Amino acid sequence: MKTSSDSGKNERRDSVFVFEDEQPGGCSDTVGKLNTNAVNQFLVELMFFFGKAFFYLFPVYLAGFFGLSISWILLGLFFWMWWKKNRTGKLARLSSAFEVLEREKYIIAKEIYDHMPAWINFPDIERVEWLNKILQQAWPFFGSYMDKLLKDTIEPSIRGYSMHLKTFTFTKIDFGEKCFRINGVKTYTKEVDKRQVILDLQISYAGDCEINIDVQKVCKAGLKGIQLHGTLRVILEPLIRDVPLVGAITVFFIRKPVLEINWTGLTNLLDVPGLSGISDTMILDIIASYMVLPNRFTVPLIKDVSVAQLRFPMPHGVVRVHLEEAKNLIIKDTYLGGIVKGKSDPYGLLRVGTQSFRSKTIKENLNPKWNEIYEFIVHEAPGQDLEVDLYDEDPDKDDFLGSIVIDLGEVMKDRVVDEWFPLNDVKSGTVHLRLEWLSLTTNKENLRSEGSNNLSPAVLVIYLDNACNLPTTNLEYTNCEYASKKKNPKYIKLTKKAKGEPNAYVELSVGGKSQKSKMRYTSKDPVWEEAFTFFIKNAENQILRAEVKDDQRDCALGMLNIPLYRILQATDMTLDQKFHLEHSGSSSFIKMKIVLRMLTIEEPDPNSVYRGLSALKKGPISIKTKKKKGSKDESSPTVHKKSSNSTSSTQQNGTNENKIELKSVRKDSLSVGEKDSEPRTPGTPFTKAQNRHLFRKDVISSSSPASLASSTETLDRDHPLPNGSSLDELTFGEIQITVRYASLRNSLVVNVGGCRNLISCSNEGVDPYVRIYLLPDKSWSARKKTSVKKKTLNPQFDEKFEFHISLEEAKKRKLDIAVKNNKSFTSSERKDLGKVLIDLSADNLTNGFTQWYELTLDGSTRS
């Protein structure tokens, strides 16, 4: 079935053909002139390139011809490089100065926006300056406590770790005068359990602390100054009816914080450019192993509280990411000094927390198609984000092609999101993602249907608690491994050196994938308290294998095999007990809690509104740095490839997943000519918002967008449209508006977030912008206007406007907000895309509010 845009394209194409037939001579002459000009321009550029090469190589030839030393060539090369560097710097300074002169207002506004704290840009993030004053007052006492802790506890433990560290001493401990700041706090109370409170703290620490150490009076090292920025989540749970009202406090970083350290002494070598990133990364990995999801730090405040359950709760769900394709990526590969433009070799990096995957590389393609599937464990939603970065693969340094950040909390509400997302920080490019939110259930119906598609139908969560009575001498080993190794002289020499209790760790493996726990030194009763997750392909046939190993003796202390069908038959699919270790001591046990859960796509809330592109994060919810170069060390795990066979088999089987996809997925066109082609099964219910969307598509498809939009200016509200419906039923899209009153500046602040599902009123595309009046003042000087977004029905503005007015006067006013199409004066296309009137007397302007408003023809609210 051809759409109206396709028919328009065919008409234009036919008109071109007719023009060529009618005027063959004139058209061919024009094409011939264009081809001749292009060839002449290419020949001139090619001659200029060879001329430059001759100019650079001719002095080398003269030096060889006259027999001059090579030092003359190096000296000339040195002066040429010096001149080139100075000239490049001068041109860069001039271009920067001209750019600032031409875009002064934009650059100043952007700099102010980037350096403002989060509570200014986001109404749901609150300012806590009173808490910063308390921290500043208590900072000297915190420094005294840390001084005592480091000298009385940390220093003796380091001395006892090795004989080479017997003289380890903290020579100076000074935490300075600058304490860490909390730039903003976001509180979650509505979307969480009633027995918990969740706080997100925007932590920023630029301290002047100084810590120096001394080992044997020869090795002196230390640090002077630390910068740490990140989002720290604090969970207060469970809420109880007795003092202290909170059972425990759990803290962790949602993602890795940004860390910078200024080293001194011998450790100053770590500031070398090659080692600086490595040292900071190692320290960040240590912090992540204790304080970054899925790891948490829990402080119990009462006795009767399960610390293990608070530290390692069940994941919130699994997000399945279909990396489909990308379009219109920027060109990074050029040849002949930029004369010939090539293409790019794009690949994608996908991250959720500490989990990261890398896609395959598509060679020389600006519209790559990957068709790969990745699965991520989501521990906190809302909170965690999906980060997708695209890079151009090069032998030396990978070039940045764009990135997006998607809020997984919004994906959890929609269940299925299938959209073209615009890339940030680049001039052009979009990426097509299909995101599926999978809930953890005990329903076994979906166990085999997913496995047939080579997807994971289940997830296995393991909480490794402790082990007891592990073997400490060679005589206690009952496995055959020691019997085969005791004849080896190297192994006998190794076991003689390994005295005392073992350094134990556990290696868990399922289906060829293995994970290791942390090492617990010199203990036959090690306590790990760690959690692990595995994606399961076949729960009826796979086996969980746990092997306790000794790092000193390089030998297994015991092993355990648990078939997963045993967990399927257990109560609530959970095993929580002590397991006897095989081939180990007679009283050697390991304690674990093993939970198996099925992955299912549930139906979204019928009262919820599909968010889609609104899941994109446009602002700095937390302070983070964007990587501008690709990492060659990213893991490349096994990726599920989409095949036609699996797709056809899935359609024939008619699984629940496909039915839910057809109910939930809705594609909104991002640019001109992109139309929805989503099928629907008979009898599938739709929400009110989805019904309006489908109705809008029927109206537009029955008549051309331009003629329909222009006709709405003269139609009455009761006049029937081509499909028999009235104009009142037609939706013009929605707009997101944030309004609050800034008491310090005595002004009303209006933030225009973005629009979605705007109606297309032109075959050539829509260039929307937003116009704002604070009624009754409709003068030209009081008019506020956003920038124009080119060729999109889902524009993102994120622009802020202020009206200097008192709070009492603001409550008597109304906001007149209209979305318009930026058309020329001679165009006959429709200019008004929709309108909304906001009565400010009915809302609390001091606290502020953010809301999606439905656009109508005259701004009135539909009943």
Side-chain angles (χ1 to χ4, degrees):
M1 178 179 178
K2 295 184 178 179
T3 60
S4 58
S5 62
D6 295 335
S7 61
K9 292 179 181 178
N10 293 333
E11 291 174 1
R12 290 192 298 272
R13 190 182 302 114
D14 295 339
S15 64
V16 173
F17 292 155
V18 171
F19 179 79
E20 290 179 359
D21 293 338
E22 292 177 351
Q23 299 178 359
C27 184
S28 60
D29 293 342
T30 305
V31 174
K33 291 180 180 178
L34 292 177
N35 292 336
T36 304
N37 293 336
V39 171
N40 291 337
Q41 183 179 1
F42 176 75
L43 291 176
V44 170
E45 292 178 351
L46 189 62
M47 292 178 64
F48 181 73
F49 172 77
F50 283 114
K52 287 176 62 178
F54 176 78
F55 177 76
Y56 292 147
L57 296 177
F58 186 66
V60 180
Y61 169 78
L62 290 179
F65 181 79
F66 291 106
L68 298 178
S69 172
I70 194 174
S71 58
W72 288 96
I73 299 177
L74 296 178
L75 182 62
L77 183 62
F78 172 77
F79 279 110
W80 179 82
M81 292 176 61
W82 174 78
W83 173 82
K84 188 72 173 177
K85 181 179 179 181
N86 288 345
R87 179 175 175 80
T88 303
K90 182 179 179 180
L91 293 177
R93 290 191 297 271
L94 286 175
S95 61
S96 300
F98 283 122
E99 184 179 5
V100 171
L101 186 61
E102 293 175 358
R103 308 174 61 194
E104 181 178 6
K105 184 177 179 180
Y106 170 78
I107 293 176
I108 294 176
K110 186 177 183 303
E111 289 295 324
I112 294 176
Y113 179 84
D114 291 340
H115 291 84
M116 279 186 176
W119 59 267
I120 294 180
N121 301 311
F122 302 94
D124 53 352
I125 296 180
E126 301 176 4
R127 185 183 182 186
V128 286
E129 198 61 33
W130 60 272
L131 185 56
N132 290 322
K133 293 180 180 180
I134 295 176
L135 294 175
Q136 183 68 39
Q137 194 74 10
W139 187 250
F141 300 93
F142 172 78
S144 300
Y145 168 76
M146 291 300 299
D147 189 344
K148 184 178 180 181
L149 177 66
L150 292 175
K151 288 187 175 181
D152 297 346
T153 305
I154 305 298
E155 186 176 296
S157 62
I158 294 177
R159 287 180 176 180
Y161 180 77
S162 173
M163 59 177 297
H164 302 288
L165 300 175
K166 292 292 184 181
T167 59
F168 179 89
T169 307
F170 285 103
T171 58
K172 184 177 182 179
I173 300 175
D174 182 13
F175 278 83
E177 299 179 355
K178 297 180 180 179
C179 70
F180 69 90
R181 288 183 53 83
I182 301 177
N183 292 330
V185 176
K186 184 176 181 179
T187 307
Y188 299 88
T189 55
K190 296 181 180 179
E191 302 175 352
V192 298
D193 187 3
K194 292 183 178 180
R195 296 191 63 192
Q196 67 176 190
V197 177
I198 299 179
L199 306 173
D200 281 350
L201 309 181
Q202 310 295 328
I203 301 296
S204 179
Y205 176 59
D208 54 349
C209 63
E210 185 176 0
I211 301 176
N212 296 328
I213 63 172
D214 190 355
V215 180
Q216 295 181 353
K217 297 182 180 181
V218 176
C219 179
K220 295 183 180 181
L223 59 90
K224 187 176 182 180
I226 298 178
Q227 291 194 27
L228 180 68
H229 310 281
T231 301
L232 184 69
R233 173 159 289 190
V234 180
I235 301 179
L236 309 177
E237 67 170 335
L239 301 179
I240 57 179
R241 301 181 185 275
D242 300 326
V243 178
L245 301 180
V246 178
I249 300 176
T250 303
V251 296
F252 55 88
F253 285 100
I254 295 179
R255 60 187 64 83
K256 283 185 179 182
V258 179
L259 177 67
E260 292 183 9
I261 300 177
N262 182 27
W263 301 100
T264 60
L266 289 179
T267 52
N268 195 30
L269 294 175
L270 298 177
D271 277 337
V272 175
L275 300 177
S276 177
I278 299 176
S279 62
D280 292 347
T281 302
M282 292 176 61
I283 296 174
L284 276 178
D285 291 340
I286 295 174
I287 296 176
S289 63
Y290 291 96
M291 289 286 291
V292 178
L293 277 178
N295 304 293
R296 308 168 188 237
F297 181 75
T298 302
V299 179
L301 302 180
I302 59 176
K303 294 182 179 179
D304 300 331
V305 63
S306 176
V307 178
Q309 186 174 358
L310 295 177
R311 285 190 62 192
F312 304 102
M314 287 293 295
H316 284 199
V318 172
V319 61
R320 182 175 293 159
V321 182
H322 299 247
L323 179 60
E324 304 281 1
E325 56 181 324
K327 285 185 179 180
N328 301 326
L329 298 181
I330 58 177
I331 299 174
K332 285 295 183 179
D333 295 337
T334 57
Y335 307 97
L336 295 178
I339 297 177
V340 180
K341 292 183 179 276
K343 296 184 179 180
S344 296
D345 305 324
Y347 68 90
L349 295 181
L350 298 89
R351 287 186 299 275
V352 174
T354 57
Q355 310 166 76
S356 62
F357 297 145
R358 171 175 172 164
S359 72
K360 63 182 179 182
T361 302
I362 307 297
K363 295 294 185 180
E364 297 185 355
N365 199 330
L366 299 179
N367 301 287
K369 293 184 179 182
W370 291 283
N371 294 325
E372 296 179 353
I373 305 177
Y374 307 92
E375 294 171 329
F376 296 91
I377 299 289
V378 181
H379 297 275
E380 289 290 325
Q384 287 188 286
D385 302 325
L386 169 65
E387 303 176 30
V388 180
D389 296 336
L390 299 185
Y391 292 94
D392 170 34
E393 187 177 56
D394 289 322
D396 50 354
K397 178 182 176 182
D398 295 346
D399 297 319
F400 182 71
L401 298 179
S403 66
I404 58 173
V405 180
I406 299 176
D407 185 0
L408 294 180
E410 302 298 334
V411 178
M412 180 180 65
K413 296 176 184 177
D414 291 336
R415 302 300 180 183
V416 177
V417 175
D418 194 344
E419 297 286 353
W420 282 91
F421 294 96
L423 295 173
N424 298 324
D425 302 327
V426 289
K427 295 181 179 179
S428 66
T430 56
V431 60
H432 183 196
L433 297 178
R434 175 180 171 86
L435 310 175
E436 299 173 350
W437 180 267
L438 306 176
S439 302
L440 307 184
T441 65
T442 56
N443 186 7
K444 302 179 184 179
E445 295 180 358
N446 199 39
L447 185 59
R448 295 180 180 177
S449 61
E450 289 280 6
S452 61
N453 285 337
N454 198 26
L455 302 176
S456 302
V459 63
L460 185 68
V461 182
I462 305 169
Y463 172 65
L464 176 62
D465 193 348
N466 60 68
C468 59
N469 299 323
L470 295 179
T472 56
T473 63
N474 296 337
L475 298 177
E476 296 182 22
Y477 293 117
T478 59
N479 54 13
C480 58
E481 186 174 356
Y482 172 68
S484 61
K485 288 185 176 182
K486 66 181 182 180
K487 298 180 181 180
N488 190 342
K490 294 183 179 179
Y491 182 74
I492 296 175
K493 184 177 180 180
L494 179 64
T495 54
K496 288 182 179 179
K497 292 183 179 180
K499 297 180 180 180
E501 297 182 345
N503 297 336
Y505 67 94
V506 179
E507 184 174 352
L508 301 168
S509 59
V510 177
K513 295 184 178 180
S514 60
Q515 300 182 38
K516 290 183 180 180
S517 71
K518 299 174 185 176
M519 190 179 301
R520 294 295 179 252
Y521 294 94
T522 61
S523 176
K524 69 174 183 177
D525 301 313
V527 178
W528 290 283
E529 293 184 343
E530 296 182 57
F532 305 90
T533 55
F534 291 91
F535 286 104
I536 304 302
K537 301 294 183 183
N538 191 341
E540 296 179 347
N541 297 325
Q542 288 185 298
I543 297 175
L544 168 63
R545 178 181 177 87
E547 193 171 3
V548 185
K549 294 185 177 182
D550 181 10
D551 184 64
Q552 293 188 33
R553 299 174 177 85
D554 192 21
C555 182
L557 303 178
M559 56 193 67
L560 178 67
N561 295 322
I562 302 177
L564 296 187
Y565 70 82
R566 178 182 169 186
I567 308 174
L568 275 173
Q569 300 171 357
T571 304
D572 196 31
M573 295 188 188
T574 303
L575 294 179
D576 188 3
Q577 65 185 62
K578 286 186 176 181
F579 299 91
H580 184 269
L581 289 173
E582 302 173 0
H583 306 295
S584 185
S586 57
S587 59
S588 299
F589 292 88
I590 184 171
K591 184 178 180 181
M592 294 188 299
K593 180 179 180 180
I594 309 172
V595 181
L596 185 64
R597 288 292 181 265
M598 303 297 113
L599 301 180
T600 306
I601 303 179
E602 297 180 347
E603 298 226 16
D605 186 359
N607 297 323
S608 65
V609 179
Y610 178 79
R611 305 272 302 172
L613 285 175
S614 299
L616 271 180
K617 281 194 171 181
K618 294 295 182 182
I621 296 298
S622 63
I623 302 173
K624 68 170 192 167
T625 57
K626 287 193 177 291
K627 292 167 58 179
K628 295 298 180 184
K629 67 176 184 177
S631 174
K632 297 283 186 178
D633 300 332
E634 293 289 342
S635 58
S636 301
T638 303
V639 181
H640 309 293
K641 299 296 181 70
K642 291 188 175 181
S643 62
S644 58
N645 296 334
S646 62
T647 305
S648 60
S649 63
T650 307
Q651 294 174 352
Q652 292 174 1
N653 293 337
T655 59
N656 291 332
E657 181 190 8
N658 287 338
K659 293 180 181 179
I660 295 172
E661 288 174 2
L662 296 175
K663 293 178 183 179
S664 304
V665 179
R666 188 189 72 192
K667 297 181 180 178
D668 297 331
S669 58
L670 292 180
S671 60
V672 182
E674 293 181 5
K675 297 294 178 181
D676 295 334
S677 58
E678 175 190 352
R680 184 172 71 92
T681 57
T684 303
F686 285 90
T687 64
K688 183 178 179 182
Q690 289 171 325
N691 276 323
R692 289 201 304 267
H693 176 74
L694 292 178
F695 174 78
R696 186 168 69 93
K697 287 197 304 180
D698 296 337
V699 173
I700 296 175
S701 61
S702 62
S703 179
S704 65
S707 61
L708 174 61
S710 59
S711 63
T712 54
E713 297 181 354
T714 57
L715 280 176
D716 296 331
R717 288 190 168 275
D718 298 330
H719 193 284
L721 292 173
N723 64 345
S725 302
S726 66
L727 189 61
D728 276 329
E729 300 177 11
L730 181 63
T731 176
F732 291 86
E734 296 174 308
I735 182 171
Q736 186 186 41
I737 299 295
T738 299
V739 182
R740 66 181 179 88
Y741 188 81
S743 302
L744 296 178
R745 300 193 297 272
N746 292 326
S747 60
L748 181 70
V749 181
V750 180
N751 188 292
V752 181
C755 301
R756 61 189 181 191
N757 304 332
L758 296 179
I759 188 169
S760 180
C761 63
S762 171
N763 289 329
E764 299 299 328
V766 178
D767 300 334
Y769 69 93
V770 178
R771 184 269 301 152
I772 304 176
Y773 284 126
L774 184 61
L775 299 181
D777 188 2
K778 300 185 71 173
S779 62
W780 183 263
S781 60
R783 178 174 176 264
K784 307 292 184 182
K785 175 185 173 183
T786 67
S787 59
V788 179
K789 302 300 180 181
K790 296 291 186 181
K791 303 296 183 291
T792 176
L793 299 178
N794 298 274
Q796 292 291 332
F797 299 102
D798 293 328
E799 297 186 30
K800 181 172 62 176
F801 305 96
E802 293 190 11
F803 297 90
H804 297 284
I805 189 175
S806 64
L807 179 60
E808 293 75 13
E809 184 66 23
K811 292 182 179 179
K812 302 176 184 178
R813 302 289 193 94
K814 287 185 178 181
L815 282 174
D816 180 1
I817 302 176
V819 182
K820 296 178 175 290
N821 179 25
N822 187 36
K823 66 172 186 177
S824 61
F825 292 104
T826 59
S827 175
S828 61
E829 297 173 355
R830 174 179 173 81
K831 184 174 183 180
D832 295 326
L833 302 180
K835 188 177 181 181
V836 62
L837 294 175
I838 303 176
D839 187 2
L840 301 180
S841 61
D843 296 294
N844 188 350
L845 298 180
T846 305
N847 295 336
F849 58 90
T850 301
Q851 187 174 339
W852 282 94
Y853 293 92
E854 186 176 358
L855 297 171
T856 58
L857 193 61
D858 58 357
S860 60
T861 305
R862 287 196 175 102
S863 58

